[in-house]
């Protein structure tokens, strides 16, 4: 396992999360960090493993289609700490339903693409004189 330094620069955080430096600054501006971004000597941003872990969750939620306002609300709830678990659960259940619907639509699309591939493969096989089977 790779040892993660206790203090990461914004460039190092970008490498570990797959987000650009610009995106990290945007996330900070939008309030999407659970913990306040610390500043080191000279005013440079300093991050730690907790930031990497949290942003990994954010990246996955965004990739699943979670809108920024919903992600911001979820971040606010996590930042507030214990006592709002029911609201977090409701938010995640709603998103789960949306992701499941998205998967259903993608599955239908994939089925159509597979069908069309089969149609064209059959046509090309017929043109080449390859027996069906």
């Amino acid at each position: 396992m790779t040892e993660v330094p206790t203090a990461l620069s914004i460039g190092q955080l970008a490498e570990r999360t797959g987000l650009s430096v610009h995106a990290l600054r945007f996330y900070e501006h939008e309030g999407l960090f659970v913990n306040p971004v610390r500043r080191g000597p000279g005013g440079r941003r300093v991050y730690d493993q907790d930031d990497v872990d949290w942003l990994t969750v954010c990246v996955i939620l965004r990739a699943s289609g979670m809108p920024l306002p919903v992600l911001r609300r979820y971040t606010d709830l996590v930042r507030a700490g214990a006592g709002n678990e029911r609201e977090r659960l409701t938010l995640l259940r709603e998103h789960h339903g949306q992701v499941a619907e998205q998967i259903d639509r993608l599955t239908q699309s994939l089925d159509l693409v597979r069908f069309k591939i089969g149609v064209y493969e059959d046509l090309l096989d017929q043109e080449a004189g390859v027996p069906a089977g």
Side-chain angles (χ1 to χ4, degrees):
M1 186 167 151
T2 305
E3 180 90 13
V4 176
T6 56
L8 301 170
S9 70
I10 195 167
Q12 291 169 318
L13 184 64
E15 277 182 31
R16 284 173 173 75
T17 62
L19 293 167
S20 68
V21 169
H22 176 78
L24 290 169
R25 289 183 181 127
F26 174 79
Y27 271 43
E28 180 183 356
H29 181 262
E30 291 295 312
L32 296 176
F33 280 83
V34 171
N35 299 312
V37 175
R38 298 179 327 276
R39 300 283 178 154
R44 294 186 180 262
R45 292 170 176 88
V46 178
Y47 305 94
D48 61 20
Q49 185 60 41
D50 288 341
D51 296 313
V52 173
D53 294 343
W54 175 252
L55 288 171
T56 299
V57 170
C58 290
V59 166
I60 292 168
L61 291 174
R62 287 290 294 143
S64 72
M66 182 177 277
L68 280 174
V70 177
L71 181 56
R72 189 177 307 111
R73 178 66 186 141
Y74 182 62
T75 303
D76 291 343
L77 292 169
V78 171
R79 187 182 305 117
N84 59 30
E85 289 82 0
R86 187 169 308 282
E87 192 173 350
R88 290 186 218 182
L89 178 60
T90 299
L91 183 147
L92 289 172
R93 281 185 172 155
E94 288 172 4
H95 185 63
H96 177 275
Q98 293 165 357
V99 171
E101 288 174 14
Q102 181 181 5
I103 289 170
D104 288 344
R105 288 190 304 273
L106 287 171
T107 300
Q108 290 173 0
S109 298
L110 185 58
D111 289 346
L112 174 67
V113 170
R114 284 183 181 142
F115 172 77
K116 295 305 263 180
I117 287 171
V119 167
Y120 291 113
E121 286 175 342
D122 289 347
L123 284 172
L124 292 173
D125 286 347
Q126 288 173 7
E127 286 177 10
V130 177

